[in-house]
């Protein structure tokens, strides 16, 4: 029950932030967006139709058609999210004075839209737009979800060329790029992790030093080289980005010939990858 209350609070905050970014920053500067909100804005620029009402109608139609391909919890949260987003757009969609700089407006519109979308998606909900259509096409025809969703958003943004012109369309692309980055920050957090693979004959000794000096767990895998067929162990370590230099010094002190691969990790949870200090 507490988790549901938190999710509902995040949905309300995300929908409000998303709507205000559209009505206070995007609409006064003739900027578009991806998904159903973007289609609603383009129809508003072309025919003067209320973007809040149009977004609600389109989202309702898509949800009624594609509810079978969505998990029950996602359907429940989306049924709350889509009308709420449409309502916030409707009550704030009156013409607002432009800031006078479309590029600055595009940057901050993308930033706040990305945060709003991230809060909504983090609850497991959706906005009932192109993602649902992509799921339907994947379910019925096996189309790739990511590429289909990208293609649908690209079609919506490209259609704005004839309505808002090439310059505002380019501003919209800037906004979408920043929005994607902002959404990633909300979904993945600022404390990104690094996965470090260390191939060395002294892998157990390296992990011992890592555990003692960095208070972080590590895993050792037994293996062998693909070319020489010699046995070679591999230590697998998860750390945050600020610990990289210290880990490099530890590895170099134990085995200066170790082969080290460092790559980004999108998400880490569970286990004992970071022990609390006693």
């Amino acid at each position: 029950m507490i988790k549901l209350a938190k999710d509902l609070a995040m949905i309300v905050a995300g929908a409000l932030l998303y709507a205000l970014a559209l009505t206070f920053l995007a609409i006064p500067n003739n900027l578009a967006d991806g998904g159903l909100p973007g289609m609603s804005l383009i129809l508003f620029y072309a025919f003067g139709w209320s973007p809040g009402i149009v977004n609600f109608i389109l989202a309702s139609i898509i949800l009624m058609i594609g509810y079978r391909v969505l998990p029950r919890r996602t359907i429940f949260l989306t049924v709350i999210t889509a009308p709420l987003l449409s309502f916030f757009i409707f009550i704030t969609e009156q013409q607002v004075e432009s800031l006078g700089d479309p590029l600055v407006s595009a940057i901050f519109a993308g930033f706040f839209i990305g945060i709003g979308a991230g809060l909504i998606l983090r609850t497991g909900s959706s906005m009932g737009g192109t993602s649902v259509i992509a799921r339907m096409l994947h379910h019925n025809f096996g189309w790739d979800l990511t590429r289909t969703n990208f293609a649908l958003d690209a079609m919506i943004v490209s259609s704005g060329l004839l309505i808002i012109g090439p310059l505002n369309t380019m501003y919209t692309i800037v906004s979408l790029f920043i929005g994607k980055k902002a959404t990633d920050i909300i979904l993945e957090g600022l404390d990104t992790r690094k996965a470090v693979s260390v191939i060395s004959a002294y892998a157990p000794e390296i992990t011992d030093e890592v555990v003692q000096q960095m208070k972080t767990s590590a895993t050792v895998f037994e293996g062998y080289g693909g070319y020489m067929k010699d046995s070679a162990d591999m230590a697998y370590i998860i750390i945050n980005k600020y610990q990289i230099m210290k880990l490099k010094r530890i590895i170099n002190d134990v085995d200066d010939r170790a082969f080290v691969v460092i790559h980004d990790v999108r998400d880490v949870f569970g286990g004992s990858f970071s022990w609390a200090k006693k």
Side-chain angles (χ1 to χ4, degrees):
M1 192 65 183
I2 296 176
K3 185 180 186 305
L4 179 60
K6 290 181 179 179
D7 288 343
L8 293 177
M10 290 176 64
I11 288 173
V12 172
L16 180 60
L17 198 59
Y18 198 118
L20 292 179
L22 288 178
T23 55
F24 280 78
L25 294 171
I27 291 178
N29 294 278
N30 288 334
L31 302 176
D33 190 26
L36 290 190
M39 186 180 298
S40 302
L41 292 186
I42 291 173
L43 293 174
F44 168 72
Y45 300 139
F47 306 107
W49 297 347
S50 167
I53 295 175
V54 171
N55 188 78
F56 176 74
I57 294 173
L58 294 177
S60 299
I61 294 172
I62 291 174
L63 276 176
M64 285 189 292
I65 297 174
Y67 74 94
R68 294 181 180 179
V69 300
L70 294 175
R72 290 185 178 180
R73 188 175 187 276
T74 302
I75 295 173
F76 170 72
L77 294 177
T78 303
V79 167
I80 298 173
T81 303
L84 199 59
L85 176 62
S86 302
F87 173 73
F88 286 144
I89 294 174
F90 178 74
I91 63 175
T92 59
E93 67 188 20
Q94 299 299 323
Q95 188 69 25
V96 179
E97 286 291 329
S98 172
L99 296 177
D101 191 329
L103 180 57
V104 172
S105 297
I107 291 172
F108 280 93
F111 177 71
F112 290 119
I113 286 173
I115 293 177
L119 291 173
I120 292 171
L121 296 175
R122 189 159 186 167
T123 65
S125 179
S126 73
M127 287 167 285
T130 52
S131 59
V132 179
I133 299 175
R135 280 180 176 270
M136 287 191 291
L137 294 173
H138 172 74
H139 179 75
N140 294 319
F141 304 105
W143 293 9
D144 182 79
L145 277 173
T146 304
R147 293 180 181 179
T148 304
N149 197 53
F150 174 79
L152 292 171
D153 284 341
M155 289 171 59
I156 293 171
V157 174
S158 299
S159 65
L161 282 169
L162 302 175
I163 308 299
I164 62 177
L167 182 60
N168 286 337
T169 300
M170 286 188 283
Y171 285 145
T172 298
I173 294 173
V174 172
S175 178
L176 290 172
F177 177 78
I178 294 173
K180 174 65 168 61
K181 295 299 180 181
T183 300
D184 289 342
I185 290 174
I186 296 298
L187 294 178
E188 300 172 11
L190 293 172
D191 186 17
T192 57
R193 301 279 173 171
K194 299 286 185 179
V196 183
S197 300
V198 185
I199 300 176
S200 168
Y202 302 95
E205 289 82 355
I206 291 173
T207 58
D208 290 342
E209 292 298 320
V210 168
V211 171
Q212 291 178 13
Q213 297 187 38
M214 301 182 68
K215 306 304 179 185
T216 297
S217 183
T219 302
V220 178
F221 298 97
E222 295 182 356
Y224 63 90
Y227 182 73
M228 298 295 294
K229 307 301 181 184
D230 294 333
S231 61
D233 293 336
M234 184 185 79
Y236 187 77
I237 308 162
I238 302 291
I239 57 175
N240 65 49
K241 59 185 177 183
Y242 305 108
Q243 297 175 300
I244 288 292
M245 295 308 299
K246 184 174 182 179
L247 178 61
K248 286 182 177 180
R249 287 195 294 270
I250 292 174
I251 295 171
N252 189 65
D253 290 342
V254 177
D255 183 8
D256 58 1
R257 299 184 63 184
F259 180 71
V260 182
V261 179
I262 303 173
H263 49 276
D264 293 328
V265 176
R266 294 184 61 87
D267 198 6
V268 177
F269 60 92
S272 57
F273 61 88
S274 182
W275 294 345
K277 293 182 179 180
K278 295 183 180 179

